[in-house]
Amino acid sequence: MKIKFKNLGPLKKGEVTIRNMTIFCGKNNTGKTYVNYLIYSILETLKDYRTNLNLNIDQLFKEGVQEIDVVSLFDNNFDRIVKEIANEVKENLYKVFNSKKDFFEELELEIELDKEQKREKLIKLKFDRNVTIGENKVKISNLNKVEGSDKITLIYFKEKTEKKILEESLRRYIENFLQICLIQEENQKYMLPTERNGLNIFYNELLRKRANIVENMDFSVEGKEEIENVNNYPKPVKDYLKILTKLDIYDKNEGNEIFVNIAKEMEKEIIRGKYKIDNNRIFYQTENEKELDLYIASSTVKTIFGIIFYLRHLIKNRDYLIIDEPELNLHPENQVKIAKLLVRLVNSGIKVIISTHSDYITKEFNNLLMLDNDFKNKTKIMEKYDYSKEDVLERKNVGAYLFKDGILDEMEIGEEGIITKTFDEVIESINERNDDIYYSIKESGDE
């Protein structure tokens, strides 16, 4: 997916291609969170978008069977739908940011989806789906597609349907189902906002406050203002909060073994303990099994909770994970570890999007990018630094972008990895200062 935009908050223009690993770098207040929220909004719209396909299935109701050329349907509607989705995102972006309606009035947005890839996926699609009604699950229709075919066969069991309203319902069902086949992004997206640390601690208090307001509400101005304040967050933050309100429910989900193992590695290497959910409260259990309320645990333990919970209970293959500042509250040693584990996520099928200020994270990414080359003593070096094939980051899977002076530009990825000028400039500057001070001290001592 490629996104082009102009006039997005502090950003004059930018173009980004979402790859398996997408990295955003730049100084504070340069627009990284704006782009993360924009991507979040696009993914949400792709998942839920509805449009009119002008589908004529009168033959189905007259004759009981009809074939639909789904590839022609795709070709005739794809470009139009993508433009509609871009307009939908633009019109509703203020809701995602919880800003004023006219805040994004000057935004220009263009979305490009891989048309050929989606067409191929559509042709490979196969299903045999029955549509039923009532408690007895009476079968009224069947939708069938063979892998490799460009046709969908619809069958209507007319004798089992007496009311016209059922035909209309079936018409809507078929149209909605075809939209899912044609355009919608079925994968989930999860975001870890920078506010996650505070939310992990105070979400129960926020819920209690909201419940008390609703229970005792007298519709006074003060009461309404309090409710607005409780909900006064951008949508990604509210969505993260919603997950926190259902921890007990999600805690029962058994996650994918691959992602659970990465979560276990994070627990072992970074927090040196594990989390426990009880009565929708988060506890941190130390290595010697001592339980602590999250609010008295370390800042690292508070911060890492979200990603570990996602991996254990929610994330599935090809889902998107967006993280604002994965280095938040982490010692440099742990920043290096989180970089390596994020690469393992990418190699396990998760699309990872991060914004970062961490030179340690990008340097470890560079190490793993360099391992994508064939060179002498590669095996020995990998063994020495405990790297495995799951840690190798393929260059073709990475996109890195720099936010500077209102522009989003793609960074070069060379033999040594990502050329992160934003960090290099600061490091060179501080080294220059250090040299000047050090040699001035030495010269003073020699006099």
Side-chain angles (χ1 to χ4, degrees), residues 93-104:
L93 195 59
Y94 77 96
K95 297 177 184 176
V96 175
F97 281 78
N98 201 16
S99 64
K100 291 183 179 178
K101 191 170 184 178
D102 61 355
F103 189 78
F104 295 103

Side-chain angles (χ1 to χ4, degrees), residues 220-231:
S220 64
V221 173
E222 293 80 3
K224 289 178 183 177
E225 286 177 352
E226 281 196 90
I227 289 175
E228 288 171 1
N229 288 336
V230 170
N231 291 293

Side-chain angles (χ1 to χ4, degrees), residues 86-122:
N87 288 331
E88 177 90 0
V89 171
K90 179 184 172 182
E91 288 175 11
N92 291 291
L93 195 59
Y94 77 96
K95 297 177 184 176
V96 175
F97 281 78
N98 201 16
S99 64
K100 291 183 179 178
K101 191 170 184 178
D102 61 355
F103 189 78
F104 295 103
E105 260 186 349
E106 297 181 4
L107 172 66
E108 297 177 27
L109 178 63
E110 183 180 338
I111 300 169
E112 293 181 13
L113 301 178
D114 192 328
K115 190 172 184 178
E116 292 304 315
Q117 184 185 67
K118 283 196 170 284
R119 185 190 284 109
E120 287 176 15
K121 183 178 178 182
L122 180 63

Side-chain angles (χ1 to χ4, degrees), residues 196-305:
R196 59 189 178 272
N197 200 335
L199 291 175
N200 289 343
I201 302 170
F202 297 116
Y203 71 96
N204 273 322
E205 283 71 15
L206 290 169
L207 289 174
R208 280 196 291 271
K209 182 177 180 183
R210 182 166 59 187
N212 289 336
I213 291 170
V214 172
E215 184 178 348
N216 302 307
M217 187 166 57
D218 58 3
F219 295 98
S220 64
V221 173
E222 293 80 3
K224 289 178 183 177
E225 286 177 352
E226 281 196 90
I227 289 175
E228 288 171 1
N229 288 336
V230 170
N231 291 293
N232 194 23
Y233 303 113
K235 191 173 190 311
V237 176
K238 285 191 279 193
D239 287 349
Y240 183 75
L241 185 55
K242 284 178 185 175
I243 288 172
L244 293 176
T245 65
K246 299 177 181 177
L247 293 178
D248 280 334
I249 297 171
Y250 293 129
D251 192 46
K252 295 179 175 65
N253 294 348
E254 291 186 12
N256 181 300
E257 185 179 359
I258 294 172
F259 306 134
V260 170
N261 286 337
I262 296 174
K264 288 178 179 178
E265 189 75 9
M266 287 185 180
E267 290 171 336
K268 176 185 175 183
E269 294 292 331
I270 299 176
I271 67 168
R272 300 192 178 187
K274 59 184 179 181
Y275 299 99
K276 180 180 176 182
I277 308 299
D278 186 19
N279 197 24
N280 220 64
R281 291 177 62 193
I282 309 167
F283 295 91
Y284 169 62
Q285 193 174 68
T286 64
E287 289 177 303
N288 60 6
E289 298 190 349
K290 182 178 180 180
E291 286 186 6
L292 303 174
D293 276 297
L294 194 65
Y295 71 89
I296 60 173
S298 71
S299 57
T300 298
V301 170
K302 297 184 187 83
T303 303
I304 293 293
F305 169 75

